[in-house]
Amino acid sequence: MPDKKTAFATAIFMILALAASIHAQESEIVKLPDPQITGGRPLMECLKARQSNRNFAPDKLSPQVLSNLLWAAFGINRPDSGKRTAPSAVNWQDIDIYVSTSDGLFLYLAKEHALKNILEEDIRGATGTQEFVKSVPLNLVYVSDYRKLARVSDEDKRLYSGAHTGFISQNVYLFSASEGLATVVRGLVDREAMAKTMKLRPDQRITFAQSVGYPKK
Ligand SMILES: Cc1cc2nc3c(=O)[nH]c(=O)nc-3n(C[C@H](O)[C@H](O)[C@H](O)COP(=O)(O)O)c2cc1C
């Protein structure tokens, strides 16, 4: 049996360790600026301009543009219900958006409208098999959380996660058209290798990736 002094010291150590770990977890989350959800180019003009563009300038997106982009992609547009800018069957909301930049890999947290740091490394080159992905400022990786689709067959998991990604991706296309950004959604990805690099769980499935940046002049 440890004496009283040792037990007290152990308890203090554990409290300090817990506090340090809570602090570390909090500091990994960076709040994005509030999204600007008014204005933009008229919808019909965005639809007219929507296109895939694979020629990117190296310029980074500002935190405000990134905030607006992620909100448009799959942010919460009805805070009362927590529902989002893209639909999902049964409101499953299985798609997580991972954000790969030169600063690392981040997870978009819609509720907090924040980015959680997942990896410090620049893994942009691993987010696709095409040359431009290494240097494009932003690669979004769409990942379905299959735990949220637990009730459906494997075939339907693929069907629903693919469909859900499509709605989000089109939001990104339309936002890009409004903002004068270049973007392309990508199926040419090595899902197995990417999942390893991203340290995903076995019940997470990469659907597609999407590159975004300013168009090369
Ligand atoms: C599901 C899906 C996967 C795609 N995969 C790729 C890809 O891996 N690489 C790429 O350069 N473009 C990819 N594209 C973009 C298409 O090539 C593009 O949408 C098509 O050529 C039509 O051009 P548009 O988007 O300008 O209308 C993909 C598009 C979709 C919808």
Side-chain angles (χ1 to χ4, degrees), residues 97-100 105-106 118-119 123 126-127 141-143 191-201 204 206:
I97 304 180
Y98 285 77
V99 178
S100 166
L105 180 71
F106 305 85
I118 303 294
L119 297 173
I123 62 149
T127 69
V141 184
Y142 301 120
V143 178
R191 289 179 177 76
E192 212 176 300
M194 213 202 304
K196 241 185 222 162
T197 307
M198 291 170 68
K199 300 190 167 62
L200 297 182
R201 302 183 312 267
Q204 287 180 291
I206 295 165

Side-chain angles (χ1 to χ4, degrees), residues 50-52 54 130 173 184-188 208:
R50 192 223 58 87
Q51 61 179 298
S52 298
R54 300 164 188 82
Q130 289 164 287
Y173 266 108
V184 61
V185 68
R186 298 185 281 103
L188 287 175
F208 294 97

Side-chain angles (χ1 to χ4, degrees), residues 81-100:
S81 61
K83 288 185 176 175
R84 320 275 287 261
T85 56
S88 60
V90 199
N91 192 27
W92 275 321
Q93 302 190 5
D94 56 298
I95 301 297
D96 285 316
I97 304 180
Y98 285 77
V99 178
S100 166

